[in-house]
């Protein structure tokens, strides 16, 4: 039975590809035009085509106007925004309907959540009406398909298997996550249904002047996909793209033709999933990537390559240290440049507790004063130095009442004296790391010796790279180590080069040809530092951290100060008798503690605000403390232009504060009297 191409597309299950169709009623354009704008638009009657892929070429977005009627616009697939999904109000009546409509897999984005309006009775338990059911994966037993589900009850996870034949009345649950348009297309567009979304946030909207979406639009959009078929023909090697709206009729003749008589293009993801004994193999690039870095321009159509192996490559996700628009990078472990350490900023005491490490003592200097409202916990002054130890629960007096609070145990450094103190975990001060380490490190050494996140600057660029983009950065924030699937590829015409090709971020099609000559060993891998987009950066962070739980929020500071508390007046006071900074803190005398790798997203980009009012003589010195704002772009020939907070600079800050505010400190101590001495 003949179907229109549109009807065939909507009935097509991507899991059944490839399929072979025959054109029953063709379409022609005047002048025998065969291709327009990269899409096939002329298919003669009788043509036999092998369908190998189904893509969404664009989205039709329906905007509900005030009053009757609506407006439809085209939404580009790379529209730079985040969306919230509106739960589908239409019910599903079997588990099989849900499985056919939505993409269900072990990936977190492929795990929809539903509620049933009726109890579901199983052999060993009952899923109650209204309980949230998460569909985690598909399975098969004795030729019968089922879906694995999870139900949370009192913070405890219960697992069930539901057959696809299970009947009921299932409604999609509200989703509080934000998604890019590409994620919605891949994971959240139900087949045969429209998807309503709310636009939550946009960025770089001025670049998309061709988009008809009203400015500052905050309403609801109803998305309808427009599909495009990928196909190959008997007498053509390249992949053709056929819009599903083409006015032709087709019939499915898969059972009547030999699929192997067509070209067999494979995606790099298909090749990656092949058994390891299939490698090495020579392949021909049928369709190269649209966009790639300059060094990978050899990935063009009709070029032969040797695929040596499929493997998981390690990358370091890094961001440029700056307050405005940041650049993001993926740095391979083969990067041969050297880094030197840069100080980290910590907006709160809570950040210090997260950043402490058992590799070395965390040494910080306070860049902002903080008044403690608790009797038993220290007030912090600008220029105070601390060695961070561990979190501790302490009994304090607040407003005349004893209570237990979370505090951070530290040692305050005053000359050669190390005084044990407790500072409030809720303090909203500011700290800057003091670095004693002047060494240079390869990126592999940093990953082995330190815990990420970590701040660095390129001290010696990678000479094997023509243009090292990292060397121009004033500072880099190394965030975390990730792994991504890659193919190791060598161009057949240049056997001296070997490249790691990321499977998930490069799209191209290849045809496998034959085994290479014996003794063809891969040469050393070329280094490619890849700059990634903001969308790609947040997508990688989301996938990497999907199984990690963020640390708890820091405790809140008291709502009301106690009646006897004192108040710091501007200019902020400085502790008397400013001592000299130690040259080597007694690191080994402290107990080791367990490092925490996860940094709270809310605190990651926070920047301490300096409140040095009416202090002009010391502002230039305090800018040295914030060395991340004052790094120079120049490098010395010997690569030893270290930029770190020196102890002498901290001492200079202390002395200038002391000289500037001697009178203020005296008045302050007289005003607070014995209460100040008790706190000390």
């Amino acid at each position: 039975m003949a179907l229109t191409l549109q009807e065939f597309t909507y009935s097509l299950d991507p899991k059944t590809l490839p399929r072979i169709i025959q054109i029953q009623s063709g379409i022609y354009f005047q002048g025998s035009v065969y291709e327009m704008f990269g899409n096939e638009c002329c298919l003669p009657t009788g043509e036999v085509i092998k369908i190998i892929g189904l893509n969404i070429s664009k989205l039709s977005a329906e905007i509900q106007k005030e009053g009757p009627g609506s407006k439809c616009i085209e939404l580009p697939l790379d529209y730079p925004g985040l969306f919230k999904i509106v739960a589908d109000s239409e019910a599903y009546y079997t588990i099989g309907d849900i499985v056919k409509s939505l993409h269900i897999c072990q990936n977190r984005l492929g795990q929809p959540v539903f509620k049933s309006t009726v109890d579901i009775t199983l052999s060993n338990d009952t899923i109650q009406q209204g309980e949230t059911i998460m569909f985690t994966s598909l399975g098969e037993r004795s030729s019968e398909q089922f879906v694995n589900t999870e139900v949370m009850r009192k913070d405890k996870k219960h697992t069930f298997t539901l057959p696809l034949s299970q009947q009921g009345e299932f409604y999609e649950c509200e989703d509080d996550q934000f998604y890019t348009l590409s994620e919605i297309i891949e994971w959240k567009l139900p087949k045969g249904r429209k998807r309503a979304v709310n636009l939550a946030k946009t960025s770089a909207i001025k670049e998309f002047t061709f988009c008809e979406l009203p400015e500052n639009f905050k309403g609801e959009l109803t998305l309808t996909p427009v599909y495009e078929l990928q196909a190959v023909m008997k007498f053509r090697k390249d992949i053709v793209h056929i819009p599903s709206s083409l006015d032709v009729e087709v019939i499915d003749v898969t059972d009547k033709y030999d699929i192997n008589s067509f070209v067999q293009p494979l995606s790099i993801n298909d090749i990656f999933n092949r058994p390891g004994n299939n490698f090495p193999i020579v392949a021909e690039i049928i369709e190269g990537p649209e966009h790639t870095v300059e060094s990978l321009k050899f990935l063009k159509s009709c070029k032969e390559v040797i695929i040596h192996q499929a493997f998981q490559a390690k990358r370091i996700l890094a961001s440029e240290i700056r307050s405005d628009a940041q650049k993001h990078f993926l740095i391979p472990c083969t990067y041969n440049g050297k880094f030197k350490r840069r100080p980290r900023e910590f907006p709160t005491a809570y950040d210090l507790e997260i950043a402490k490490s058992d590799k070395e003592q965390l040494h910080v200097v306070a860049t902002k004063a903080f008044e403690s409202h608790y009797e038993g916990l220290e007030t912090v002054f600008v220029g105070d130095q601390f060695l961070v130890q561990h979190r501790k629960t302490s009994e304090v007096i607040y407003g005349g009442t004893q209570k237990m609070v979370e505090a951070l145990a530290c040692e305050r450094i005053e000359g050669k004296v190390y005084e044990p103190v407790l500072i409030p975990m809720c303090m909203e001060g500011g700290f800057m790391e003091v670095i004693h380490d002047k060494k240079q490190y390869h990126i592999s050494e940093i990953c082995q010796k330190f815990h990420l996140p970590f701040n660095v600057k390129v001290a010696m660029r990678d000479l094997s790279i023509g243009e090292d983009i990292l060397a121009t950065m004033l500072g880099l924030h190394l965030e975390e180590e990730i792994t991504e699937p890659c193919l190791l590829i060598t161009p057949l015409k240049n056997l001296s080069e070997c490249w790691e090709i990321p499977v998930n971020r490069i799209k191209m099609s290849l045809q496998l040809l034959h085994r290479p000559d014996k003794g063809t060993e891969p040469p050393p891998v070329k280094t490619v530092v890849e700059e990634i987009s903001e969308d790609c950066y947040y997508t990688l962070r989301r996938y990497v951290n999907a199984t990690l739980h963020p640390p708890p929020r820091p405790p809140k500071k008291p709502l009301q100060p106690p009646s006897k508390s004192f108040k710091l007046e501007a200019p902020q006071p400085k502790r008397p008798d400013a001592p000299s900074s130690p040259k080597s803190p007694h690191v080994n005398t402290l107990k080791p503690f367990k490092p925490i790798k996860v940094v709270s997203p809310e605190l990651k980009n926070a920047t301490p605000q300096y409140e040095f009012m009416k202090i002009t003589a010391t502002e230039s010195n305090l800018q040295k403390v914030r060395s991340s704002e004052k790094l120079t772009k120049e490098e010395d020939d010997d690569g030893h232009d270290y930029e770190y907070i020196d102890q002498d600079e901290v001492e200079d800050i202390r002395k200038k504060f002391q000289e500037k505010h001697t009178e203020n400190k005296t008045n302050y101590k007289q005003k607070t009297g014995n209460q100040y001495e008790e706190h000390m």
Side-chain angles (χ1 to χ4, degrees):
M1 177 181 175
L3 302 172
T4 65
L5 190 59
Q6 189 86 44
E7 293 171 338
F8 171 79
T9 302
Y10 285 142
S11 66
L12 183 61
D13 184 357
K15 298 176 184 177
T16 65
L17 294 177
R19 309 293 297 178
I20 297 177
I21 59 174
Q22 187 175 43
I23 307 300
Q24 294 297 293
S25 176
I27 180 172
Y28 298 89
F29 278 77
Q30 186 177 2
S32 299
V33 177
Y34 192 73
E35 184 178 346
M36 295 182 73
F37 308 112
N39 293 325
E40 300 301 313
C41 60
C42 179
L43 298 174
T45 302
E47 182 83 59
V48 179
I49 302 172
K50 178 182 176 182
I51 307 298
I52 61 171
L54 179 64
N55 293 328
I56 295 176
S57 59
K58 57 186 176 181
L59 287 173
S60 173
E62 183 180 350
I63 303 175
Q64 295 296 331
K65 293 183 177 179
E66 295 183 2
S70 61
K71 177 184 178 182
C72 284
I73 63 170
E74 282 189 9
L75 201 60
L77 300 185
D78 54 355
Y79 181 81
L82 294 175
F83 298 83
K84 286 195 72 173
I85 291 174
V86 178
D88 193 349
S89 60
E90 186 179 349
Y92 292 84
Y93 294 99
T94 68
I95 297 295
D97 292 340
I98 298 175
V99 171
K100 289 178 183 177
S101 180
L102 294 171
H103 188 176
I104 298 175
C105 68
Q106 293 182 347
N107 188 300
R108 187 177 61 85
L109 296 182
Q111 297 181 342
V113 181
F114 284 82
K115 287 185 179 180
S116 173
T117 59
V118 297
D119 293 348
I120 302 175
T121 304
L122 305 173
S123 59
N124 57 348
D125 205 340
T126 299
I127 300 178
Q128 302 292 332
Q129 170 189 348
E131 288 188 310
T132 57
I133 309 169
M134 177 183 287
F135 293 70
T136 56
S137 62
L138 297 174
E140 186 173 346
R141 186 187 304 117
S142 301
S143 300
E144 182 180 1
Q145 282 192 317
F146 61 86
V147 63
N148 295 308
T149 65
E150 293 179 357
V151 176
M152 293 297 294
R153 292 173 181 167
K154 296 181 180 179
D155 297 330
K156 200 171 183 179
K157 188 184 298 180
H158 298 264
T159 58
F160 302 96
T161 58
L162 298 177
L164 301 193
S165 58
Q166 178 68 51
Q167 296 184 346
E169 190 173 349
F170 304 94
Y171 286 91
E172 188 177 34
C173 293
E174 292 288 342
D175 190 342
D176 60 355
Q177 299 296 315
F178 294 92
Y179 300 94
T180 64
L181 202 58
S182 60
E183 289 175 334
I184 292 176
I185 290 171
E186 184 174 1
W187 301 101
K188 301 299 180 180
L189 270 184
K191 187 177 180 182
R193 298 189 181 208
K194 296 181 179 180
R195 170 59 81 191
V197 298
N198 283 317
L199 180 60
K201 180 184 177 184
T202 59
S203 60
I205 189 64
K206 293 182 180 179
E207 298 178 7
F208 288 79
T209 54
F210 59 88
C211 180
E212 303 175 33
L213 195 65
E215 188 175 358
N216 300 323
F217 177 78
K218 297 296 181 182
E220 186 174 295
L221 300 171
T222 302
L223 305 180
T224 302
V226 178
Y227 290 98
E228 174 186 84
L229 296 167
Q230 288 181 307
V232 292
M233 300 180 177
K234 275 201 168 185
F235 303 106
R236 293 179 65 174
K237 246 186 181 182
D238 57 334
I239 296 175
V240 297
H241 302 267
I242 305 173
S244 62
S245 57
L246 205 60
D247 186 17
V248 297
E249 291 185 343
V250 301
I251 59 173
D252 192 324
V253 292
T254 305
D255 298 335
K256 299 179 182 178
Y257 278 83
D258 180 13
I259 290 182
N260 295 326
S261 62
F262 291 82
V263 172
Q264 300 290 318
L266 298 171
S267 69
I268 57 175
N269 193 53
D270 293 332
I271 297 175
F272 178 84
N273 291 323
R274 294 175 74 87
N277 57 13
N278 284 190
F279 303 102
I281 194 166
V282 177
E284 180 183 1
I285 300 176
I286 302 298
E287 186 173 58
E290 293 182 4
H291 307 288
T292 185
V293 295
E294 184 65 30
S295 54
L296 300 181
K297 292 296 184 182
F298 69 91
L299 297 176
K300 295 181 180 179
S301 299
C302 302
K303 298 289 184 181
E304 293 185 356
V305 296
I306 300 176
I307 304 175
H308 297 283
Q309 62 174 322
F311 67 106
Q312 294 285 342
K314 289 185 178 181
R315 298 282 189 271
I316 306 300
L317 190 61
S319 297
E320 182 183 11
I321 299 178
R322 56 187 300 173
S323 58
D324 52 352
Q326 292 180 318
K327 293 182 179 180
H328 307 287
F329 305 94
L330 282 176
I331 308 174
C333 293
T334 56
Y335 180 79
N336 290 321
K338 286 188 175 183
F339 298 94
K340 57 185 176 183
R341 298 176 60 176
R342 283 199 48 190
R344 293 170 286 178
E345 291 181 86
F346 305 102
T348 69
Y350 177 71
D351 288 277
L352 296 178
E353 201 274 333
I354 292 175
K356 69 184 189 302
S357 167
D358 58 353
K359 298 289 185 181
E360 63 178 356
Q361 186 70 55
L362 179 58
H363 180 191
V364 296
V365 58
T367 57
K368 183 179 178 181
F370 176 83
E371 172 190 358
S372 173
H373 298 298
Y374 299 107
E375 294 184 23
L377 300 185
E378 291 296 311
T379 290
V380 175
F381 296 84
V382 174
D384 281 354
Q385 295 188 63
F386 298 96
L387 296 179
V388 180
Q389 292 184 321
H390 55 81
R391 183 194 292 236
K392 182 179 180 180
T393 302
S394 177
E395 183 177 314
V396 298
I397 298 176
Y398 175 67
T401 305
Q402 289 187 343
K403 62 184 300 185
M404 302 298 292
V405 298
E406 292 291 317
L408 187 64
C410 301
E411 286 188 314
R412 182 165 50 211
I413 306 171
E414 296 191 15
K416 297 182 179 180
V417 178
Y418 297 83
E419 177 189 3
V421 296
L422 294 175
I423 61 176
M425 189 66 74
C426 62
M427 70 168 293
E428 298 175 356
F431 300 90
M432 180 70 73
E433 183 179 21
V434 179
I435 296 177
H436 306 271
D437 185 1
K438 300 182 180 181
K439 296 180 182 178
Q440 295 184 1
Y441 298 93
H442 286 104
I443 197 164
S444 57
E445 294 177 304
I446 293 176
C447 294
Q448 291 174 3
K449 295 182 178 181
F450 307 103
H451 293 292
L452 303 183
F454 205 69
N455 288 358
V456 297
K457 182 185 185 299
V458 175
M460 182 182 299
R461 72 179 187 89
D462 188 345
L463 299 177
S464 66
I465 302 177
E467 182 180 356
D468 188 350
I469 56 178
L470 298 183
T472 63
M473 301 295 108
L474 296 181
L476 289 170
H477 183 62
L478 305 182
E479 299 185 31
E480 54 195 334
E481 183 178 311
I482 67 171
T483 58
E484 62 175 354
C486 287
L487 293 177
L488 198 61
I489 290 182
T490 294
L492 200 61
K493 290 186 177 180
N494 189 355
L495 297 178
S496 63
E497 296 184 355
C498 191
W499 306 90
E500 294 176 351
I501 308 300
V503 170
N504 293 335
R505 288 178 289 106
I506 288 186
K507 292 185 178 180
M508 63 179 185
S509 298
L510 303 97
Q511 180 184 10
L512 302 183
L513 300 178
H514 56 80
R515 291 278 190 176
D517 297 334
K518 291 184 178 180
T520 306
E521 296 295 330
V525 178
K526 292 282 187 178
T527 299
V528 177
V529 177
E530 187 177 359
E531 182 177 348
I532 58 176
S533 66
E534 188 173 0
D535 286 344
C536 181
Y537 164 77
Y538 285 112
T539 300
L540 287 171
R541 298 252 10 215
R542 180 186 301 181
Y543 293 159
V544 168
N545 291 326
T547 58
L548 299 177
H549 299 286
R553 291 179 181 272
K556 296 180 180 179
K557 70 176 184 179
L559 296 177
Q560 296 180 357
S563 58
K564 295 183 179 180
S565 65
F566 58 88
K567 183 175 180 63
L568 292 177
E569 302 289 345
Q572 296 173 359
K574 185 64 201 76
R575 183 175 304 282
D577 301 324
S580 61
S581 176
K583 294 299 180 181
S584 57
H586 56 303
V587 177
N588 297 330
T589 63
L590 300 175
K591 296 180 180 179
F593 29 80
K594 184 178 180 180
I596 300 177
K597 291 187 179 180
V598 183
V599 175
S600 174
E602 293 90 353
L603 302 177
K604 177 191 164 205
N605 294 321
T607 304
Q609 299 295 320
Y610 296 92
E611 299 177 357
F612 304 140
M613 292 178 277
K614 300 181 182 179
I615 303 176
T616 58
T618 58
E619 284 182 352
S620 60
N621 291 320
L622 288 171
Q623 289 302 320
K624 294 181 181 179
V625 176
R626 297 191 65 192
S627 61
S628 62
E629 304 281 341
K630 297 287 291 178
L631 290 178
T632 177
K633 293 184 179 181
E634 300 179 358
E635 294 184 7
D636 294 338
D637 293 337
D638 58 359
H640 291 283
D641 57 332
Y642 302 104
E643 295 160 350
Y644 59 94
I645 298 182
D646 188 80
Q647 294 89 341
D648 294 334
E649 295 181 9
V650 177
E651 168 64 12
D652 186 54
I653 294 173
R654 283 180 169 275
K655 287 181 179 179
K656 287 187 181 292
F657 263 101
Q658 185 182 14
E659 295 169 0
K660 183 72 178 179
H661 304 290
T662 301
E663 183 179 354
N664 288 9
K665 288 183 292 183
T666 304
N667 295 336
Y668 179 79
K669 292 184 67 177
Q670 291 176 351
K671 184 184 296 184
T672 57
N674 295 333
Q675 180 183 4
Y676 176 80
E677 297 298 331
E678 291 175 4
H679 279 273
M680 295 300 294

